[in-house]
Amino acid sequence: ALGTMAWEAAVGGGAVPVADTVGGVDTILITAETLPIGSLAAQVGCATAGAIATFIGTTRNTFEGKRVLRLEYEAYEPMAKKEMLAICAEMRTRWPLRHIAMAHRTGVVPVGESSVEIAVSSAHRREGLEAVHYAIDELKARVPIWKREVYEGDERAWKQNKEWQHPEASRQDATDTSR
């Protein structure tokens, strides 16, 4: 397995490894550097894992018929890291996982490059796949990272994640008995 120091060098440093109480490691990274596609899989591999599940989100070249030139990301980094670690902790309460790694780009992400990567190792595939699905949905819903698409002709649009719901709306839904 690629050690934390080697992985930090591969992705430009800044990874935050946090050992948990069961011997697994949660590693998060927010970086303006290129994320080599698939680099997190090596970070989470270990002899006790029979599965490594990953999600890699890349910049596509079109959206709703418009040519996308690039994505631009901004993050409130201290809160983003805190939320990413909270998601890791929640994953561990739901599934027996070995290692978790999450990385998200900031700044300009050209077409074809990775914006977000999540990798999880586990004894069996089902828990790893379920955990990765949960992680990307929660990351998009809760982590303060914002995406702007830049289209051909210099048109730009900030994108709201479909998973995100304003906390006030959640409270209103919970207290609305008229439905």
Side-chain angles (χ1 to χ4, degrees):
L2 184 63
T4 300
M5 296 302 283
W7 183 66
E8 285 182 11
V11 296
V16 178
V18 178
D20 73 8
T21 58
V22 295
V25 175
D26 300 340
T27 305
I28 60 163
L29 175 69
I30 298 175
T31 183
E33 302 296 321
T34 300
L35 292 173
I37 290 179
S39 64
L40 294 189
Q43 178 65 23
V44 300
C46 69
T48 61
I52 296 174
T54 63
F55 173 81
I56 302 169
T58 59
T59 303
R60 62 179 171 259
N61 65 359
T62 59
F63 179 74
E64 295 182 351
K66 298 177 190 174
R67 184 166 175 246
V68 175
L69 301 178
R70 66 183 177 274
L71 299 178
E72 298 173 353
Y73 288 92
E74 293 183 13
Y76 177 45
E77 219 170 299
M79 184 180 276
K81 288 179 178 179
K82 181 178 177 182
E83 279 300 310
M84 290 167 80
L85 287 171
I87 292 167
C88 291
E90 291 164 15
M91 292 164 65
R92 290 190 179 283
T93 65
R94 298 174 136 210
W95 299 280
L97 304 174
R98 291 297 301 130
H99 304 299
I100 303 169
M102 291 188 209
H104 205 297
R105 287 275 300 271
T106 56
V108 174
V109 182
V111 169
E113 289 191 11
S114 174
S115 300
V116 59
E117 295 201 18
I118 299 169
V120 172
S121 59
S122 56
H124 305 284
R125 70 180 177 272
R126 180 177 305 271
E127 54 261 25
L129 291 168
E130 289 174 357
V132 166
H133 185 250
Y134 175 83
I136 189 60
D137 285 352
E138 290 299 306
L139 186 147
K140 291 178 75 74
R142 296 169 32 192
V143 176
I145 297 175
W146 302 277
K147 174 174 75 173
R148 180 167 55 180
E149 288 186 344
V150 179
Y151 307 107
E152 191 170 53
D154 206 34
E155 180 185 349
R156 297 161 190 255
W158 287 103
K159 306 301 285 188
Q160 180 175 329
N161 290 322
K162 294 176 185 174
E163 297 83 359
W164 187 84
Q165 184 176 14
H166 192 279
E168 290 298 318
S170 296
R171 276 188 283 246
Q172 286 177 337
D173 288 349
T175 59
D176 185 1
T177 58
S178 64
R179 293 185 192 181

